[in-house]
Amino acid sequence: KNGSKITYPHPAEFGMRYDDKLGTMESYGGRGLSGGKSIDFNTEPFDTDITVNGKPKEDCTQDEFAKTIGVQFKNTPGPDGTMDYHPFFKENVPWGMLGHVSKAPVVGDTAVDALLHFREIAGGPIIETSVFQEIDAMEGEPVVGLLFFNLSCPIWRKYAEYMIDAFTIIGVPIVPIYIRESHPCDEFPAPASFQPPEWDVIKAHKSLDDRWKWAAKAKAMYRLPKMFVDSLDNKLALTYEAGAFRGFIVDRASKGVVHSMCFGPANVAGKLI
């Protein structure tokens, strides 16, 4: 224990290792490699991974993200003429700003329950469930992953299947959660050099139907058996300080956080190793 918090092993200890020579995740038993999947970190897209701390085999911290990537959104003149963070960024990603004090659960904390929404069939009613209900539904699994994302983040789309495969490789089932857009074209568009025109059409969600439209597309793109969406008040995104790439592994029985991945498109290989 660390103080009053319980410490857990890194998910790699569930049955995976990182081979420095090959640059791949390989099974050595335990929960092990599923379906023959592996990730080669020496090839595209990982050869262009954005590393913000000089440590490509480690995830970045919130502070490291804020000092390098977050500060780039301090690009809007404030009332006194000094540069301030873009209003969308301030409202939706305060954890990407310098000086933010995180309130998100960390390893050893109990995960936070909140509403989730999903559809069983296209055009069917939107059904309510919750994070803990879906974790409990993974009967027989010692741990369950929570993975947050959206489709308007161009760098997420580049790495998405690798992120999802990484959970499969270590044998951890996920609850995939579609959250508010990172770059809605009508409020906070991504630079044209990053966002192809066919993707620069996703607007800020005004209803759960709006959100589900893109969640359903992600479900089909990534061949996921289920997909869930955050409530329109963005409760989960705000509570878990989540953007695309944010992930957690939760002990199914105790609901304790086993592992967390920092938000944002940086040190992606480090999130997975």
Side-chain angles (χ1 to χ4, degrees):
K1 292 186 176 181
N2 179 12
S4 61
K5 295 182 177 180
I6 300 171
T7 57
Y8 296 86
H10 187 278
E13 295 178 32
F14 294 146
M16 302 306 306
R17 65 184 171 84
Y18 178 78
D19 188 312
D20 287 316
K21 183 177 180 181
L22 298 176
T24 60
M25 290 177 70
E26 297 185 339
S27 171
Y28 61 84
R31 295 179 63 75
L33 194 66
S34 175
K37 291 179 179 293
S38 65
I39 299 175
D40 187 343
F41 293 105
N42 294 322
T43 59
E44 175 68 25
F46 293 97
D47 56 351
T48 56
D49 192 3
I50 301 170
T51 302
V52 298
N53 58 7
K55 302 173 183 177
K57 295 182 182 178
E58 296 180 15
D59 197 358
C60 63
T61 65
Q62 175 184 326
D63 188 58
E64 289 166 343
F65 179 92
K67 287 178 177 177
T68 53
I69 295 178
V71 74
Q72 295 181 41
F73 297 107
K74 201 171 185 178
N75 57 7
T76 305
D80 61 357
T82 59
M83 298 306 284
D84 197 1
Y85 289 95
H86 189 284
F88 180 92
F89 194 81
K90 287 180 72 171
E91 179 180 355
N92 294 281
V93 200
W95 44 88
M97 295 164 49
L98 292 168
H100 175 78
V101 178
S102 178
K103 298 178 181 178
V106 297
V107 171
D109 286 345
T110 300
V112 180
D113 196 17
L115 285 177
L116 289 172
H117 309 268
F118 71 101
R119 274 194 170 117
E120 290 185 325
I121 58 172
I126 292 180
I127 302 168
E128 281 189 0
T129 181
S130 74
V131 173
F132 283 6
Q133 279 182 265
E134 294 307 316
I135 290 174
D136 287 337
M138 303 285 189
E139 294 184 6
E141 298 291 348
V143 291
V144 176
L146 306 177
L147 184 59
F148 298 88
F149 60 88
N150 57 61
L151 290 179
S152 63
C153 175
I155 302 179
W156 163 263
R157 297 195 307 271
K158 181 178 177 181
Y159 288 99
E161 294 197 54
Y162 298 96
M163 297 288 293
I164 294 165
D165 282 351
F167 282 90
T168 302
I169 286 170
I170 60 172
V172 176
I174 62 170
V175 177
I177 304 170
Y178 200 99
I179 57 174
R180 56 106 184 95
E181 299 296 343
S182 295
H183 291 285
C185 64
D186 54 340
E187 294 187 14
F188 191 54
S193 57
F194 280 88
Q195 194 77 289
E198 62 268 26
W199 283 108
D200 194 29
V201 294
I202 306 177
K203 295 182 178 181
H205 309 145
K206 305 301 183 187
S207 67
L208 282 179
D209 280 320
D210 287 347
R211 184 160 291 175
W212 181 257
K213 170 186 174 181
W214 295 104
K217 184 174 180 68
K219 180 176 182 286
M221 284 175 61
Y222 305 133
R223 302 173 298 282
L224 294 167
K226 296 190 79 172
M227 174 65 73
F228 303 92
V229 299
D230 192 3
S231 296
L232 209 59
D233 62 4
N234 302 317
K235 172 71 178 293
L236 279 169
L238 293 170
T239 300
Y240 284 89
E241 299 186 346
F245 293 94
R246 184 66 143 158
F248 293 82
I249 298 178
V250 177
D251 180 87
R252 181 176 172 272
S254 70
K255 305 301 187 291
V257 175
V258 172
H259 177 71
S260 68
M261 297 187 297
C262 190
F263 56 86
N267 291 63
V268 180
K271 297 181 193 305
L272 305 183
I273 292 171

